[in-house]
Amino acid sequence: MSRINLNYRYHCLLAALAFASPAACADQLSANVGATSNYLWRGMEQTGGNPALSAGIDYSTQSGFYAGGWLSNADWAPGMTFELDLYGGYSGQLSQAVSFDVGYIYYAYPDEDTGDADFSELYGSLSYQGFSLGLSVLAGGTGADFGDTLYASADYEFNLNDSLSMALHFGHYSGDWLAQDTLDYGVSVSQSGFTLGLSDTDSDNENMKVYLSYTMDFSL
């Protein structure tokens, strides 16, 4: 699972969280590196509109279990310079056409000044052809209880030609911890590892964001 995509986290993590996961085909160790002009998470900027670099490593088994980690610069809170995500889960097929993915992810911000930014989520998704429906539930965080926030998403990805694809995204963040109720939506086109996208939210304080990202995955 390359955590870079779920809007730049939702196109490799379709992604994720909203997460794309390793295919249950054979035991495999892989890595990914990426860069983006604007690191977005559910429509919200994580680097103040500045570029971000990232890298990750994943291990997947033939049975469908997977685990990995992902690292990126981030600065949305005082003292914060980077983000470290650790995750694990299970993916498989319900039928020839329907696949699923369930798992747990921990978002860590080790150098953030207050030490209260870390949180975790349980996530799940169902996919049919190019459609994907996802739900993430807050599992833990400072001053938060299980289920205090929910993030529901719907994505659709389709090919425009042999090498160019388009993805549509809609998400709804609700709850009383970390952020206000927010709708986010976006569209992107991808080719040969490059993604050009538009992302916006219904927040009065947010403007439409344009981003360009590149990801590269390779086996180890």
Side-chain angles (χ1 to χ4, degrees):
M1 173 166 64
S2 174
R3 287 285 299 112
I4 293 172
N5 288 320
L6 280 174
N7 168 30
Y8 180 64
R9 265 183 166 176
Y10 60 61
H11 274 101
C12 260
L13 258 116
L14 272 178
L17 269 211
F19 294 86
S21 61
C25 52
D27 291 3
Q28 183 179 16
L29 182 64
S30 61
N32 60 82
V33 294
T36 183
S37 61
N38 190 0
Y39 173 18
L40 302 174
W41 184 70
R42 299 172 184 173
M44 297 179 286
E45 292 179 332
Q46 305 297 290
T47 52
N50 295 315
L53 300 175
S54 64
I57 189 167
D58 298 282
Y59 178 73
S60 62
T61 69
Q62 187 174 3
S63 62
F65 289 99
Y66 63 88
W70 185 82
L71 182 71
S72 174
N73 56 299
D75 58 10
W76 53 265
M80 181 185 296
T81 62
F82 71 99
E83 169 188 345
L84 173 63
D85 299 344
L86 301 173
Y87 49 86
Y90 179 75
S91 64
Q93 298 290 132
L94 294 177
S95 69
Q96 187 173 1
V98 180
S99 61
F100 71 91
D101 181 15
V102 293
Y104 170 86
I105 181 168
Y106 187 88
Y107 299 90
Y109 306 92
D111 61 353
E112 189 267 333
D113 284 349
T114 68
D116 294 338
D118 292 10
F119 67 101
S120 60
E121 291 182 331
L122 295 173
Y123 61 85
S125 67
L126 287 174
S127 299
Y128 172 75
Q129 296 181 351
F131 291 96
S132 179
L133 298 175
L135 181 67
S136 297
V137 181
L138 183 71
T142 302
D145 296 322
F146 180 87
D148 274 356
T149 63
L150 299 173
Y151 183 73
S153 62
D155 296 273
Y156 178 54
E157 186 170 15
F158 56 95
N159 293 328
L160 296 174
N161 57 38
D162 290 342
S163 61
L164 185 66
S165 65
M166 174 173 283
L168 307 175
H169 169 82
F170 179 84
H172 181 235
Y173 193 94
S174 61
D176 57 7
W177 188 84
L178 189 66
Q180 298 177 341
D181 287 10
T182 306
L183 294 173
D184 72 281
Y185 35 89
V187 58
S188 64
V189 291
S190 300
Q191 184 176 36
S192 303
F194 289 94
T195 297
L196 176 64
L198 299 173
S199 177
D200 201 2
T201 74
D202 66 345
S203 172
D204 293 338
N205 300 322
E206 296 284 342
N207 297 317
M208 181 175 290
K209 280 83 66 175
V210 180
Y211 64 93
L212 176 65
S213 66
Y214 176 76
T215 64
M216 180 173 62
D217 300 275
F218 48 93
S219 299
L220 298 176

